[in-house]
Amino acid sequence: MNILRIDSTIKPREASVSAGLADRVLARLTAADPKAVVTTRDVIGVPAIDGNWLGAVFTPADQRNADQVAIAAYADELLNEVRAADTLVIALPVYNFAIPAQLKNWLDQLARKGETFRYTEAGPEGLLKGKRAIVALSSDGTQLGSDIDFASGYLRHMLGFFGITDVEFVAADRMAFGADETLARAHEAVDQLAA
């Protein structure tokens, strides 16, 4: 099994609840499959897409200038990591009710017509099918699935848009209202995951 771990916390890793939950998820998965290969991508520093990115990834490879070659190569590297993965483990801290900007940058880098999705007469079709995603969500005050949770629904939608529809959440949400109890429930949810 190939596992791609995505980190998006702005905190030091040892202080991050989402990173700690992702550690626990990975421990469960690798205990079940000791031969699993884990690739880690910290999306802090992944650049936002812009006009130069658009020009690079949609210019045929043999017509790209040197700057476009570099931009497209980076985007391809991110995409190839996802393509190679059987399972994605995404550490998701909720910031201001939504996903971190850097995680959105990563998703935007992946959103490429003809690579991760295509349009059909029946609507969009994701091209990264057959993968599983486990999302380790943490928040101080936002409850998973509540009216103010704009993080989990968006991430689930984007993964589904890419064809990744097997998405599970383990949540240490509303940490400000009882961190120990919340974390214990999250750990129990990880321990119940099918490995």
Side-chain angles (χ1 to χ4, degrees), residues 70-81:
I71 291 168
Y74 181 75
D76 287 346
E77 180 181 344
L78 298 176
L79 177 55
N80 289 334
E81 288 173 348

Side-chain angles (χ1 to χ4, degrees), residues 73-115:
Y74 181 75
D76 287 346
E77 180 181 344
L78 298 176
L79 177 55
N80 289 334
E81 288 173 348
V82 177
R83 281 186 173 139
D86 302 300
T87 300
L88 284 73
V89 175
I90 302 174
L92 171 59
V94 176
Y95 296 151
N96 301 316
F97 314 105
I99 68 172
Q102 297 86 353
L103 186 58
K104 183 171 189 311
N105 290 348
W106 177 74
L107 291 166
D108 286 345
Q109 290 271 353
L110 298 177
R112 293 166 59 182
K113 186 169 64 171
E115 300 287 351

Side-chain angles (χ1 to χ4, degrees), residues 47-59 65 67-68 71-72 108-109:
I49 61 172
D50 59 13
N52 292 328
W53 178 89
L54 197 64
V57 299
F58 291 108
T59 295
N65 63 35
D67 289 341
Q68 291 174 329
I71 291 168
D108 286 345
Q109 290 271 353

Side-chain angles (χ1 to χ4, degrees), residues 2-8 13 19 22-23 26 37-44 46 77-78 81 85 87-91 106:
N2 289 320
I3 302 170
L4 174 61
R5 175 189 176 136
I6 301 296
D7 283 307
S8 59
R13 186 166 169 165
D23 288 343
L26 278 175
V37 176
V38 178
T39 301
T40 299
R41 170 65 69 173
D42 189 332
V43 298
I44 299 299
V46 171
E77 180 181 344
L78 298 176
E81 288 173 348
T87 300
L88 284 73
V89 175
I90 302 174
W106 177 74

